[in-house]
Amino acid sequence: MDTLRFIIADDHPLFRAALKASLSISFENCLVVEVASIAELQSVLATDTSSDLILLDLHMPDAQGFSGLIHLQAHYPEIPVLVVSASESPEVMCRAIDHGAAGFLPKSSQAETISLAINAVLSGDRWLPEGIQFQTGQNSKEQKMASDIASLTPQQFRVASLLVQGLLNKQIAYELDITEATIKAHVTEIFRKLGVHSRTQAALAFSQLDVSPPDLP
């Protein structure tokens, strides 16, 4: 049997450890990579796209709501993403599927359910918890924002994510170890792609992809 390759993307080490243990029991021949941020996930995928499945938490420190999922689907569509989240709202589950997730697994799920969900997704099926019926959960503004974010390059996505967190250009440059002039060029292109003219507008645009988005005009 071929080795199954999983990536667990979650910023909580105890949950990663518990999920890894569950995977090791359910799938004897598997390799599990753990990452604590979207940036770490980008680094892994930049050198190796052979993973069979990404198990992604929606609440990552360097992504806003569904933005990380949208980014993954835009740049690595060949790797299915199973969202594993503490959010158990049917609306959130359906929005995750809308944004390209192959399934949605609540963090409260038992080991047997985790195994069933992963096997279903690996077989090409869509997985939602029992009793949840899929209904599209996007509005036109959210669809437009998702499309705009999908157009960002991996580096632009990292810059945008730090920008909407309130970091200044020089802070982003230090964080990413690139020049401030390069950051300025990225910001200009990000604004163009998002159709905004300021950091505040960019932050408001990203907020439409929050798990609980504000009611924007």
Side-chain angles (χ1 to χ4, degrees), residues 42-215:
Q42 285 179 324
S43 296
V44 170
L45 294 174
T47 57
D48 184 2
T49 57
S50 64
S51 294
D52 296 289
L53 181 67
I54 298 170
L55 298 106
L56 176 71
D57 182 23
L58 286 180
H59 298 280
M60 298 293 275
D62 56 346
Q64 192 153 357
F66 295 98
S67 65
L69 171 62
I70 292 164
H71 171 73
L72 291 174
Q73 286 301 296
H75 294 278
Y76 308 99
E78 71 280 6
I79 308 176
V81 178
L82 177 62
V83 170
V84 185
S85 176
S87 301
E88 300 194 17
S89 158
E91 180 196 8
V92 171
M93 295 180 190
C94 292
R95 286 172 69 206
I97 301 298
D98 269 333
H99 288 305
F104 192 105
L105 189 65
K107 283 190 173 182
S108 59
S109 300
Q110 299 296 314
E112 181 181 0
T113 303
I114 295 173
S115 179
L116 287 171
I118 291 174
N119 277 313
V121 169
L122 292 176
S123 298
D125 295 329
R126 184 168 66 196
W127 176 272
L128 284 169
E130 187 175 353
I132 302 296
Q133 297 295 320
F134 173 70
Q135 295 180 339
T136 185
Q138 290 186 27
N139 58 43
S140 58
K141 287 183 180 179
E142 185 170 342
Q143 290 175 336
K144 170 71 165 58
M145 188 57 200
S147 177
D148 292 344
I149 285 183
S151 73
L152 299 177
T153 67
Q155 187 74 312
Q156 288 168 357
F157 180 82
R158 290 188 68 187
V159 172
S161 296
L162 294 170
L163 183 151
V164 301
Q165 290 175 38
L167 272 67
L168 302 175
N169 285 357
K170 62 182 180 180
Q171 294 172 311
I172 299 174
Y174 176 80
E175 185 77 21
L176 301 184
D177 195 25
I178 53 181
T179 67
E180 192 171 344
T182 301
I183 297 299
K184 288 180 180 179
H186 280 318
V187 170
T188 298
E189 190 63 8
I190 290 164
F191 283 2
R192 184 188 69 80
K193 288 184 174 181
L194 300 185
V196 300
H197 303 286
S198 70
R199 291 165 176 265
T200 299
Q201 289 179 340
L204 285 171
F206 259 75
S207 72
Q208 294 178 59
L209 298 171
D210 283 349
V211 173
S212 298
D215 187 12

Side-chain angles (χ1 to χ4, degrees), residues 9-60:
D10 192 293
D11 65 327
H12 292 91
L14 287 178
F15 180 77
R16 291 200 309 270
L19 184 53
K20 182 177 181 179
S22 180
L23 292 173
S24 298
I25 293 171
S26 299
F27 304 92
E28 293 183 7
N29 197 24
C30 73
L31 175 66
V32 181
V33 174
E34 298 179 46
V35 297
S37 66
I38 296 296
E40 287 182 26
L41 181 55
Q42 285 179 324
S43 296
V44 170
L45 294 174
T47 57
D48 184 2
T49 57
S50 64
S51 294
D52 296 289
L53 181 67
I54 298 170
L55 298 106
L56 176 71
D57 182 23
L58 286 180
H59 298 280
M60 298 293 275

